[in-house]
Amino acid sequence: MKHKSIAIDGPSGAGKSTMAKALAQELGFLYVDTGAIYRTLGLFALRRGAAPGSWTEVEPLLAQVSIRMAYAADGLQHMYLDGEDVTRAIRTPEVSTAASQISAIPQVRAFLMDMQRDMADNNDVVMDGRDIGTVVLPDADAKIFLTASAEDRAKRRHAELIERGETVDYDTVLADIIARDDRDTNRAAAPLRQAAGAALVDTTGISLEESFRLLLRTVQETLA
Ligand code: DC
């Protein structure tokens, strides 16, 4: 039986994961966060002292690494690196940068492809990332490009970090977002772009609740 898939792509901080998770729950699909896979490999490179942007340094690591994704009793996606649960450890700014750098290597993208496609072959999924609609699942039943202005994304990310008790200033967060956008959009391998047939959902200036309603309506219209 063919499973259903919904591809959600967009830049960092657009609210993709929050909204993809809520959408998956609404539809009874599995939420697959593909950024977590790149993050896990990025963490592995950092731990091994390899430069995440260097193919020469990363290549030998691919034969050694064991990355596993599993859904815990809480229904959440957990990432395992060599058997260790790294679900929390992959959420640091250092790992964000490492993931963005390592994901620019074409051989790394190819290496992580099967894992992502297997998830969609065996489950109904809402999958989010940067190249889901363009490369990983070009035949997805619905494709969404979810975005917001860099300033809006930085504002949300800044508020999240402050709430978590971290001391960062808004300008640093904005600069980080702009640098990551630039790397993810201008890389040669599977750059971030709106897939053919993807619906654009721009959440600039609207609340998360409103954004979700807009997303849900767009997906329902596409699936109908
Ligand atoms: O979605 P995220 O911020 O957790 O992703 C971390 C990095 O991984 C992001 O900067 C780009 C990369 N990535 C990618 O290249 N392709 C994907 N499908 C998902 C993430």
Side-chain angles (χ1 to χ4, degrees):
M1 188 191 81
K2 190 190 172 297
H3 285 281
K4 288 218 175 297
S5 55
I6 296 170
I8 303 187
D9 293 302
S12 356
K16 281 194 308 293
S17 63
T18 310
M19 282 200 261
K21 213 179 284 173
L23 182 66
Q25 194 159 23
E26 180 78 27
L27 301 173
F29 288 12
L30 196 66
Y31 165 56
V32 182
D33 166 10
T34 63
I37 307 173
Y38 289 95
R39 285 172 179 273
T40 304
L41 190 62
L43 175 64
F44 185 64
L46 291 179
R47 285 185 174 177
R48 291 296 180 95
S54 157
W55 171 234
T56 326
E57 292 187 33
V58 168
E59 184 177 18
L61 301 185
L62 298 188
Q64 300 162 23
V65 72
S66 151
I67 295 178
R68 204 165 55 82
M69 187 189 317
Y71 288 79
D74 54 11
L76 297 178
Q77 173 184 331
H78 284 242
M79 295 305 303
Y80 297 87
L81 174 59
D82 297 330
E84 175 194 343
D85 188 340
V86 293
T87 311
R88 274 172 163 280
I90 58 173
R91 298 292 155 193
T92 66
E94 292 72 27
V95 176
S96 298
T97 302
S100 173
Q101 290 170 334
I102 213 161
S103 71
I105 303 175
Q107 294 91 332
V108 164
R109 307 198 67 83
F111 176 77
L112 298 175
M113 182 70 77
D114 285 353
M115 194 173 176
Q116 301 171 69
R117 288 198 175 140
D118 283 352
M119 292 304 292
D121 284 345
N122 296 306
N123 306 279
D124 290 331
V125 293
V126 174
M127 190 176 278
D128 81 2
R130 301 296 186 289
D131 63 337
I132 309 306
T134 51
V135 180
V136 181
L137 305 175
D139 297 325
D141 299 281
K143 298 186 205 178
I144 304 289
F145 192 77
L146 188 68
T147 191
S149 71
E151 290 74 16
D152 256 38
R153 290 183 282 126
K155 252 186 261 165
R156 287 182 209 151
R157 180 59 51 90
H158 183 243
E160 272 169 28
L161 292 171
I162 296 294
E163 202 177 285
R164 265 201 259 154
E166 296 185 27
T167 39
V168 282
D169 64 291
Y170 168 80
D171 288 341
T172 309
V173 176
L174 178 62
D176 259 16
I177 288 216
I178 290 172
R180 208 132 76 88
D181 282 359
D182 182 56
R183 225 177 2 245
D184 296 346
T185 310
N186 294 318
R187 69 187 179 204
L192 171 66
R193 61 180 170 80
Q194 188 174 342
L200 178 69
V201 175
D202 188 332
T203 69
T204 306
I206 61 175
S207 69
L208 205 60
E209 290 73 27
E210 259 178 282
S211 304
F212 180 66
R213 278 198 295 277
L214 177 61
L215 173 68
L216 186 60
R217 201 170 344 117
T218 309
V219 168
Q220 283 167 337
E221 279 167 10
T222 313
L223 291 181

